[in-house]
Amino acid sequence: MEPIHTLFATQPDEPSQAVLPDGLRDRYDGNLCFPPAPEERPYCIANFVSTLDGVVSFNLPGQSEGAQISGANEEDRFIMGLLRASVDAVMVGSGTLRAAGPQASWLPEAVYPAAKDLYRKYRTEVLRKPEYPLVVIVSGTGELDLAGAVFHTSRTRVLILTTEQGRQRLSRSGSGVLASVEVKSLSAGEQGISPSVILTLLRQQEGVELLLHEAGPTLFGEFLAAGFMDELFLTLAPQIAGRVAAHPRPGLVAKVEYSPATAPWCKLLSTKKAADHLFLRYQIGDQRA
Ligand SMILES: NC(=O)c1ccc[n+]([C@@H]2O[C@H](COP(=O)([O-])OP(=O)(O)OC[C@H]3O[C@@H](n4cnc5c(N)ncnc54)[C@H](OP(=O)(O)O)[C@@H]3O)[C@@H](O)[C@H]2O)c1
């Protein structure tokens, strides 16, 4: 792994706040802390990798994952694993599940096996969390391939949040016999299940205080538009994907658009680099108000 260098950080490292074990702190070149969650919902962070021209998926068969955007960058994978290791739950939508393929699991070490022991030590000994975060999958239709590895590992508890129609479909597909999988149906409007319903459930019924959004532009856009995204970890990969109207390639946000008057602005919290990749951490919100 190339060394990660911190170029800028708003808060200097306070030894009293140290939470990362040395092996992680050295690789990350600094500490990693999050504010406490609000009473009514988890504190929500998202992690994306984008090309220089703002593309997050090539949208090509079999080549639509973040790995093609980052170039399977090792330092990006280390940070992705570190964020998974930090949170109570990781959430994706069914679009991301499909693009990730049947082996995807959302365990911290799945993206960076070399730090498996360090991630586990950090979670269990420092953060005092269960060994693995809860995996939350959001789908309105319930059209999920339950043969995927994520549904068959005893290490991860999976919570599928869906509609009543989706629950029935999943039940017909055999969700009831999957020991680590729970399906909950929630009320949904024309726009699907509302982000506030999801977040209230996660906070009140699952005790989730820190949520990592690894969903794609659709679900992320909905949470952003609802004002529930607190932070964005954005890796900038030094490649240019291009796009044409006939074959759209998504950016960070889909199905939501802002005007110059309403677009949220963000505050840069830290900048790190490893070789030619940049790792940006932003606080999301109207920083110009
Ligand atoms: N570069 C990166 O860092 C990065 C990160 C994540 C994803 N991606 C890429 O983004 C692409 C996927 O994008 P996406 O926008 O389709 O992913 P997504 O947001 O993870 O999934 C979209 C799906 O989630 C479900 N959903 C969304 N909002 C819902 C709501 N309110 N209620 C109920 N269900 C809801 C729907 O599932 P149903 O259709 O089943 O109802 C919808 O089709 C993939 O290529 C993936 O690799 C890239």
Side-chain angles (χ1 to χ4, degrees):
M1 178 170 142
E2 292 277 339
I4 294 174
H5 296 292
T6 301
L7 305 177
F8 164 80
T10 44
Q11 291 168 331
D13 267 0
E14 292 285 343
S16 62
Q17 287 186 329
V19 292
L20 288 184
D22 286 346
L24 292 178
R25 195 183 163 102
D26 295 346
R27 286 179 205 211
Y28 191 57
D29 194 30
N31 207 357
L32 181 63
C33 297
F34 297 95
E39 283 275 301
E40 67 289 355
R41 67 170 176 87
Y43 189 80
C44 298
I45 63 174
N47 185 25
F48 271 95
V49 57
S50 161
T51 63
L52 293 180
D53 55 336
V55 168
V56 303
S57 168
F58 276 98
N59 196 15
L60 293 169
Q63 299 180 83
S64 294
E65 290 180 74
Q68 282 92 34
I69 300 294
S70 78
N73 179 260
E74 209 178 332
E75 298 74 42
D76 179 60
R77 297 175 87 83
F78 165 72
I79 293 174
M80 202 187 313
L82 181 60
L83 293 176
R84 289 179 183 178
S86 302
V87 301
D88 300 301
V90 181
M91 183 170 68
V92 296
S94 68
T96 299
L97 179 76
R98 280 182 211 111
Q103 296 309 319
S105 74
W106 288 278
L107 301 178
E109 67 261 25
V111 279
Y112 195 71
K116 177 180 178 178
D117 292 341
L118 289 169
Y119 291 150
R120 189 194 312 111
K121 186 173 171 203
Y122 169 45
R123 275 190 79 74
T124 58
E125 295 178 21
V126 179
L127 300 176
R128 308 257 172 223
K129 293 181 191 287
E131 191 173 346
Y132 292 110
L134 172 71
V135 174
V136 181
I137 296 171
V138 181
S139 167
T141 61
E143 284 179 43
L144 305 179
D145 180 2
L146 296 180
V150 69
F151 301 113
H152 297 273
T153 165
S154 53
R155 289 175 293 169
T156 329
R157 213 184 123 226
V158 177
L159 178 62
I160 302 175
L161 299 181
T162 186
T163 58
E164 178 52 26
Q165 180 199 17
R167 189 195 64 75
Q168 289 176 16
R169 181 189 286 267
L170 285 160
S171 176
R172 287 194 298 275
S173 306
S175 61
V177 300
L178 301 173
S180 57
V181 177
E182 187 178 356
V183 179
K184 286 193 178 175
S185 69
L186 298 168
S187 61
E190 273 182 21
Q191 310 297 319
I193 305 163
S194 93
S196 76
V197 168
I198 292 173
L199 291 179
T200 303
L201 180 144
L202 292 179
R203 185 80 163 99
Q204 293 182 355
Q205 296 184 24
E206 301 294 335
V208 175
E209 296 188 2
L210 186 57
L211 174 69
L212 173 60
H213 216 295
E214 282 202 32
T218 307
L219 200 60
F220 175 71
E222 292 171 23
F223 276 67
L224 183 73
F228 292 136
M229 289 311 310
D230 297 301
E231 289 188 24
L232 172 64
F233 286 78
L234 178 64
T235 297
L236 210 48
Q239 71 166 326
I240 296 170
R243 51 190 138 187
V244 293
H247 183 245
R249 288 182 168 164
L252 271 186
V253 172
K255 300 179 187 173
V256 171
E257 76 176 356
Y258 295 98
S259 70
T262 60
W265 284 70
C266 302
K267 179 180 170 57
L268 186 62
L269 298 180
S270 68
T271 304
K272 294 172 188 273
K273 83 175 271 280
D276 298 317
H277 281 66
L278 281 177
F279 305 96
L280 309 169
R281 178 181 180 184
Y282 285 100
Q283 184 183 323
I284 299 175
D286 195 350
Q287 305 301 326
R288 296 189 308 177

